[in-house]
Amino acid sequence: MSKHDNVIGYIEYLDSGGCVRERIPYVDAEEFKTRIYASLHCGEPIIPVVFPENLSQPLTFEKGTIFPWGPRSEKHELLPYEIYQTNDRKIAFLRYDYTKDYINAASYKLVYRGQMECWQTLDSLYCLHNQENRPNGREMRSLSVSDIIVMHEGGEAHAYYVEPIGYKQVDALLPGLEQAKKRSVERGER
C-alpha cells in the first residue's frame, strides 16, 4: 500500500470503551463495503472513514443500513512525525525507568522528519525504521530503546520514548525537542 492516493478509506475498530484500537486501510471499494457489512452483521464496533476525493463514485450502502457509531468522511491527509536520537551514554538504549533522572531534550538530535498515514501507529513506525531499507538509513541508526518519536495531529504534538516493550509518553520534553529541531534546521540537517 505504498500509493497514498489509492486508499479510499479505512475502518476504525473500537474497543469495549469506544476507543480506537486499530485502523485498517482499504483500496478496493467492494472489499471495503464487504468488511463493513461483516462487522456490522456481527455487532463489531467500527467506524468506517471514507476519503470521498479518492472514490471514482460515491460509496453506497443498502437502504436501512445503520452505523451505530456513525460513518465519517475525511480529507486524506498525511501526518508529520519526527524521530530524535541520543548518543548520551546515561540514556542511550536504556529503559525510561533508568533514565528519567538524566533525560533532557538537549541530549537529543533530530535525525528524521517524515509523514505518516493516519492509520499508522507507533508500532508501524518502529517496524518501518528497523528495516534494512529504512528511510534515512545511511544517516541514522535503526529505531531503538531511548529514541523519541514525536507525532503531530490536529494541531497537537505528543512525544513517545521507545521502551523495550511499548512506549512512554514524555510530552514534557516537547519544548526542548522543538529547540533541537530548530538547531537541526539552522544547521541544514534533515
Side-chain angles (χ1 to χ4, degrees), residues 90-130:
K90 291 181 182 175
I91 302 170
F93 308 110
L94 296 173
R95 291 184 5 208
Y96 183 78
D97 289 348
Y98 298 143
T99 65
K100 63 184 173 190
D101 295 332
Y102 306 104
I103 193 169
N104 67 66
S107 302
Y108 282 85
K109 178 181 173 186
L110 173 67
V111 294
Y112 184 77
R113 288 193 300 183
Q115 294 187 319
M116 59 186 268
E117 295 286 359
C118 58
W119 55 81
Q120 285 184 289
T121 63
L122 289 166
D123 286 336
S124 65
L125 292 178
Y126 184 87
C127 290
L128 174 67
H129 289 279
N130 270 292

Side-chain angles (χ1 to χ4, degrees), residues 160-175:
Y160 300 92
Y161 187 95
V162 179
E163 292 272 50
I165 299 175
Y167 309 87
K168 170 82 174 161
Q169 193 164 347
V170 290
D171 288 352
L173 294 175
L174 282 169

Side-chain angles (χ1 to χ4, degrees), residues 11-83:
I11 297 176
E12 290 183 338
Y13 293 89
L14 309 176
D15 63 17
S16 59
C19 296
V20 176
R21 67 175 162 81
E22 184 177 24
R23 292 179 174 127
I24 306 288
Y26 290 86
V27 295
D28 179 75
E30 286 308 310
E31 181 185 358
F32 189 39
K33 284 173 59 172
T34 299
R35 188 63 193 121
I36 290 168
Y37 281 129
S39 294
L40 291 173
H41 178 72
C42 70
E44 185 174 25
I46 63 162
I47 298 174
V49 180
V50 179
F51 302 137
E53 73 274 12
N54 291 359
L55 289 168
S56 57
Q57 58 188 2
L59 202 59
T60 58
F61 294 92
E62 295 172 10
K63 188 174 181 166
T65 301
I66 297 172
F67 297 94
W69 298 273
R72 217 171 52 233
S73 290
E74 290 182 356
K75 182 167 175 29
H76 186 206
E77 296 182 284
L78 296 173
L79 305 173
Y81 73 96
E82 293 115 28
I83 295 175

Side-chain angles (χ1 to χ4, degrees), residues 62 66 132 135-136 151 175:
E62 295 172 10
I66 297 172
E132 284 294 318
N136 203 30
M151 300 171 71

